[in-house]
Amino acid sequence: MVMAGEMKRFVVGWALIGIFGCAAMAPWRASAAGTDPMDWPNWRGPQQNRISTEKGLVDHWDPKGGPGSNVLWTSEALAGRSSPITLRGKLYTIVRDKPGTADEGEKVICADAATGKPIWEHRSNVSLTEVPPERVGWSNVVADPETGRVYYQGVSGYFCCLEGDSGKVVWDRNLAEQFGTISTFGGRTNTPVVFEDTVLISAVLVDWGDADKWGGFAKPAHRFMCFDKATGELRWINGTSISPYDTNYGTPTLAVLNGQQALVFESGDGGVWALQPRTGQPIWHLIFSRAGANISPLVTADGKVYVGHAKENTVGTSMGTVAALDGTMTGDLKGKELWRKDGVMAGLSSPLLIGDRLYQLDDGAKLYIFDAKTGDEIARKALGTFIFGTPLYADGKFYLCTNSSQSYILKPSDDGVKVVQKIRLDEDAKECNGSPMVSHGRLYIPTGKYMYCVGEEGKKPEADPLPKMPEESAASQDQAPALAQVVPFDVILRPGDKQAYKVRVFNKRGQLLSTAAAKDVKFAVDGPGTIDADGTYHAPADKEHQCALVTCQIGDLKGSARVRVVPPLPWKWDFNAEKDVPLTWVGGRVRYMLKDLDGEKILAKKDLLPTPRDPKNKLGTRSTLFMGQSDLANYTIQGDVMLNGTVFELPDVGLVNSGYEMILRSRDKKLRAESWTSHDVRSSSVVPFEPKPSQWYTLKLKVVPEKDIAHVMGKIWERGQPEPDKWTVDFVDHSPNLHGSPGLFGKSEDAEIYLDNISVTPN
């Protein structure tokens, strides 16, 4: 009777999947028609719901290998915390490069999916972050089935587009230096999403500008950046509530809701949101957690959205919830949930919908099974003590690994789930932080020590076609222009540079109506520079740090784009002639201010401790400010600093140069020059130094790139005293950062930091 019931549920489940089009059925529209149903181009699968249509998969395997084990290969080179993807016969994942060495970094690695043999790798340095090495690879690669290219964001904000066959860089961006993305000790890093001709990525960012003007991006918020996937040109930036509780890493879901294309995601502000992916305009939101929410929403073909979190709820005092929403609504959905089950701490693993049942693992690896329509609990089963990954559902079975390296194969049953196999992986397999996936008959299971490839040797893979996706309403149904988008939205230029602009027109549902002809657009500039009738902006020739808005009017619609003009070196600020913190500085205006001290103006890094008046105002106690272009190289930055407070509460302060930082760590009583702060053996130079409160010091940091190395040198001395001949800190990096923006570092938990006489000069 049990077997008959299981078979009935399996058949009914897949019938419902066919009727409703699976769970999250709005992946990449432009390419979905040509997607191989056995490819796995993002960690959530071709339909973004962790469901595969493959058949004939294994129901047992043995990690020890040998005859009958079903292990086709194992690879230490592909091991890590990231979840792998496959496209066109290749596997892609993110791993640590040269772990535990002075040259450690992060890399994307591409391998033959059938053999595990590496094909190419693309390394990036980890810099200007406190992420521990164990959390490298937090994000996941995403592939574009249309072009074969792959996209990757590293833990410190490096973002790139790579050719899938060769690993050649098509374009790259430093999101931290250009847009102020935050990288913290937690390591939370978002996964890109490909949509039509764009790629979207998000983070908590603190950009240039001020608190209210220029888009208000100087205030911290969890924001999305939308780039042209072929060129890296920025289309738009938009986000959620100001001053979020935390950084965030949940992957968004692309879905069609009531005929409207939507990007559905959980946010650092404790909410779940839907935005228009082409414009960034909000559709609806629900704030349901008192801290950041991180799982990936599950969206069904009929517009239901399943979400969860593991923090304190906004209503009551319970921790965690699982909820169902009506995604076809608009505006604030507070109090409008279809159902919710408080007390379920669902903050790590994302939900799955199989037939009429919702499967959700809590953070303690307990599997909850709910009636998807009513929220009634059907069953629960303990599977371990902790889990990060999300199960895979394929061939009528669940495949998952807990964080303690227990591997399960489960089958749905009338009264819950049946354990088909439970095994413990090798003790040295370490943690399982990623999620398993399947492609062309092979299961891929990532752990901290190995990547396992599991399948039956020589068996021909099979898969049903991908169910049909819901379709967006035709743009022809609404031809009324509602929004003008000026592209590119944000650029940094040098004096005398030119930038061509175009205007894209959308209806209220975020659908592109046209790219406007220049003759129909009235361009203007608010600020320095000029613009031609055809939309070509000319930056002013004078060597000043300045900003402008390029504006347009087309009919009754208005739009704007942001411009920074940053001159070549040298630069110098003594702040006496400044009216405010330079507007062009990324992360400057909100966290720093000008202050009168002894008859002169100086720069002050604010004490940003939470206050009863504004308890969320805590982001920015530790922050990095950037001053200019990411391609600057071979220069020296110098500045005067004073630390306030008692010896027990002195802040930390430092200079940034080409991805390196020299920081006076007051409480540690050390001066440190390094690239990766939290790495014990990464190339660095550290010396004892005990600063005195209210004493002015001069800091100087010089970086000289020399082919395949960088020579990093720093000094500190009491201001007014002769500059010492010898460098205080000095090291050579054989895995160098060869360029990067100058900047300032400050960590002001209990007292303010004062800075003055900042200069950046060519070597």
Side-chain angles (χ1 to χ4, degrees):
M1 290 297 293
V2 174
M3 290 300 295
E6 290 173 4
M7 182 58 68
K8 178 180 178 182
R9 179 161 298 284
F10 174 75
V11 172
V12 171
W14 276 102
L16 287 170
I17 288 170
I19 294 170
F20 293 116
C22 269
M25 301 251 280
W28 313 323
R29 292 179 66 252
S31 55
T35 298
D36 184 335
M38 289 189 281
D39 275 343
W40 199 263
N42 73 81
W43 79 269
R44 301 190 66 210
Q47 300 166 317
Q48 301 172 92
N49 58 7
R50 299 289 301 162
I51 294 175
S52 170
T53 62
E54 293 203 34
K55 301 182 290 185
L57 303 178
V58 301
D59 57 12
H60 72 277
W61 68 289
D62 184 352
K64 296 179 181 179
S69 71
N70 288 330
V71 175
L72 301 176
W73 53 260
T74 61
S75 171
E76 291 191 48
L78 299 174
R81 66 181 304 123
S82 185
S83 297
I85 65 165
T86 58
L87 185 73
R88 302 180 184 180
K90 295 181 177 64
L91 179 145
Y92 304 91
T93 192
I94 307 170
V95 301
R96 296 169 64 180
D97 185 43
K98 302 178 183 177
T101 71
D103 299 314
E104 181 166 353
E106 183 174 31
K107 66 183 178 184
V108 173
I109 188 166
C110 168
D112 185 300
T115 66
K117 183 179 179 180
I119 299 173
W120 58 257
E121 58 186 49
H122 175 71
R123 175 194 163 97
S124 64
N125 276 346
V126 178
S127 59
L128 307 183
T129 178
E130 295 181 357
V131 172
E134 296 77 14
R135 297 196 175 191
V136 164
W138 189 293
S139 181
N140 310 287
V141 181
V142 66
D144 179 11
E146 183 181 50
T147 64
R149 291 174 172 173
V150 297
Y151 299 85
Y152 143 71
Q153 179 181 205
V155 289
S156 51
Y158 175 73
F159 185 46
C160 66
C161 169
L162 306 172
E163 293 289 1
D165 289 336
S166 65
K168 179 182 177 181
V169 177
V170 180
W171 55 262
D172 58 10
R173 293 271 201 161
N174 189 313
L175 301 181
E177 295 183 1
Q178 296 173 22
F179 304 106
T181 59
I182 292 174
S183 176
T184 68
F185 179 83
R188 296 170 180 169
T189 309
N190 295 84
T191 298
V193 176
V194 175
F195 173 69
E196 295 182 335
D197 61 344
T198 65
V199 58
L200 299 101
I201 190 66
S202 76
V204 173
L205 63 88
V206 185
D207 208 344
W208 66 270
D210 59 25
D212 301 309
K213 299 179 181 178
W214 308 92
F217 298 139
K219 288 184 176 180
H222 177 206
R223 295 185 172 100
F224 278 84
M225 294 155 279
C226 178
F227 297 95
D228 184 306
K229 72 180 184 182
T231 66
E233 179 181 74
L234 184 68
R235 296 273 181 86
W236 56 262
I237 298 176
N238 204 13
T240 63
S241 309
I242 298 299
S243 296
Y245 295 106
D246 210 343
T247 51
N248 162 274
Y249 62 88
T251 303
T253 299
L254 287 162
V256 173
L257 299 173
N258 195 27
Q260 180 175 201
Q261 190 69 53
L263 182 80
V264 185
F265 61 95
E266 293 193 355
S267 176
D269 67 356
V272 54
W273 291 70
L275 302 181
Q276 295 175 352
R278 303 183 190 96
T279 67
Q281 297 301 300
I283 301 171
W284 54 258
H285 69 278
L286 169 70
I287 307 299
F288 67 152
S289 170
R290 295 186 187 275
N294 290 293
I295 70 172
S296 298
L298 179 66
V299 185
T300 66
D302 60 355
K304 291 185 176 62
V305 179
Y306 297 95
V307 294
H309 71 81
K311 305 299 182 180
E312 186 179 352
N313 291 303
T314 54
V315 177
T317 58
S318 63
M319 300 286 288
T321 194
V322 176
L325 312 176
D326 181 356
T328 66
M329 301 177 73
T330 60
D332 189 348
L333 303 190
K334 182 178 180 180
K336 300 177 182 178
E337 300 93 331
L338 298 175
W339 57 260
R340 61 182 293 163
K341 293 295 178 181
D342 292 344
V344 181
M345 297 183 66
L348 299 171
S349 185
S350 300
L352 280 80
L353 180 67
I354 309 301
D356 56 1
R357 293 185 174 185
L358 186 76
Y359 296 79
Q360 175 68 63
L361 279 155
D362 73 2
D363 295 359
K366 184 178 294 180
L367 178 63
Y368 287 81
I369 305 173
F370 299 103
D371 183 300
K373 184 176 181 180
T374 66
D376 293 338
E377 184 177 321
I378 296 171
R380 68 175 74 175
K381 184 174 182 61
L383 300 176
T385 57
F386 193 65
I387 191 165
F388 255 113
T390 297
L392 164 72
Y393 186 77
D395 193 28
K397 300 181 281 286
F398 293 100
Y399 299 88
L400 69 143
C401 279
T402 68
N403 198 253
S404 55
S405 298
Q406 287 182 315
S407 172
Y408 284 91
I409 301 176
L410 309 172
K411 272 191 174 182
S413 63
D414 284 342
D415 57 356
V417 290
K418 174 186 176 182
V419 177
V420 177
Q421 185 186 39
K422 174 185 176 181
I423 55 175
R424 180 172 292 279
L425 305 183
D426 296 340
E427 289 185 4
D428 62 348
K430 300 184 179 179
E431 296 180 342
C432 297
N433 292 302
S435 300
M437 63 95 169
V438 62
S439 180
H440 294 82
R442 296 181 289 266
L443 292 163
Y444 299 90
I445 301 169
T447 75
K449 181 65 174 179
Y450 304 107
M451 176 83 73
Y452 295 94
C453 177
V454 178
E456 293 187 32
E457 189 75 50
K459 185 173 183 177
K460 184 179 179 180
E462 297 180 81
D464 291 329
L466 296 178
K468 185 179 178 181
M469 300 180 299
E471 294 187 359
E472 185 179 15
S473 300
S476 59
Q477 296 181 15
D478 181 4
Q479 288 290 296
L483 183 142
Q485 184 183 83
V486 185
V487 179
F489 177 69
D490 190 292
V491 296
I492 182 169
L493 305 175
R494 290 179 168 88
D497 282 354
K498 295 189 294 184
Q499 177 66 55
Y501 285 91
K502 59 187 176 184
V503 177
R504 296 156 56 86
V505 179
F506 297 84
N507 63 19
K508 66 182 180 181
R509 298 174 70 82
Q511 295 170 303
L512 180 66
L513 300 180
S514 67
T515 298
K519 64 181 179 62
D520 298 325
V521 181
K522 185 182 293 184
F523 287 101
V525 178
D526 181 0
T530 61
I531 194 163
D532 299 335
D534 67 356
T536 301
Y537 172 78
H538 300 264
D542 50 305
K543 295 183 178 181
E544 301 291 335
H545 296 252
Q546 48 197 323
C547 303
L549 283 179
V550 170
T551 64
C552 78
Q553 183 157 354
I554 177 168
D556 295 330
L557 299 181
K558 295 181 180 179
S560 64
R562 297 158 26 108
V563 180
R564 282 186 294 159
V565 181
V566 177
L569 304 180
W571 308 333
K572 184 172 178 61
W573 292 274
D574 67 8
F575 304 109
N576 287 320
E578 302 286 339
K579 295 182 179 179
D580 205 338
V581 177
L583 192 63
T584 56
W585 287 4
V586 171
R589 281 283 175 98
V590 171
R591 293 172 172 170
Y592 289 79
M593 62 183 178
L594 296 189
K595 196 167 186 175
D596 291 322
L597 183 70
D598 299 329
E600 291 196 359
K601 284 185 180 179
I602 54 95
L603 183 69
K605 170 73 167 61
K606 302 175 185 178
D607 169 9
L608 293 179
L609 271 180
T611 66
R613 181 181 59 83
D614 187 7
K616 290 199 296 181
N617 187 15
K618 59 184 179 180
L619 291 178
T621 55
R622 182 194 69 85
S623 63
T624 302
L625 170 157
F626 297 102
M627 299 174 173
Q629 293 89 348
S630 290
D631 61 359
L632 292 173
N634 201 16
Y635 62 86
T636 297
I637 180 171
Q638 180 172 313
D640 298 337
V641 302
M642 180 202 287
L643 306 178
N644 290 296
T646 69
V647 292
F648 303 106
E649 60 185 12
L650 289 182
D652 294 343
V653 65
L655 304 177
V656 176
N657 184 332
S658 304
Y660 298 95
E661 54 192 359
M662 182 178 71
I663 301 176
L664 182 54
R665 299 286 185 181
S666 301
R667 298 185 190 182
D668 292 342
K669 300 178 183 179
K670 293 177 181 177
L671 181 71
R672 305 178 61 98
E674 57 207 344
S675 174
W676 186 352
T677 304
S678 53
H679 198 291
D680 291 338
V681 297
R682 184 72 168 91
S683 295
S684 63
S685 179
V686 183
V687 298
F689 190 92
E690 185 171 357
K692 302 173 186 176
S694 303
Q695 168 67 55
W696 279 102
Y697 296 95
T698 299
L699 297 177
K700 184 175 185 177
L701 179 61
K702 179 179 183 178
V703 178
V704 180
E706 301 172 354
K707 295 184 179 179
D708 296 328
I709 66 169
H711 192 183
V712 182
M713 299 159 277
K715 295 181 182 180
I716 185 170
W717 68 95
E718 290 189 9
R719 187 172 74 171
Q721 298 298 313
E723 178 180 341
D725 294 330
K726 185 179 179 181
W727 295 100
T728 315
V729 287
D730 188 345
F731 72 95
V732 172
D733 188 1
H734 292 274
S735 294
N737 305 312
L738 298 176
H739 54 81
S741 171
L744 305 174
F745 173 88
K747 184 178 181 182
S748 49
E749 293 178 325
D750 301 304
E752 290 182 340
I753 302 167
Y754 295 160
L755 305 102
D756 201 3
N757 300 317
I758 296 170
S759 65
V760 186
T761 55
N763 292 333

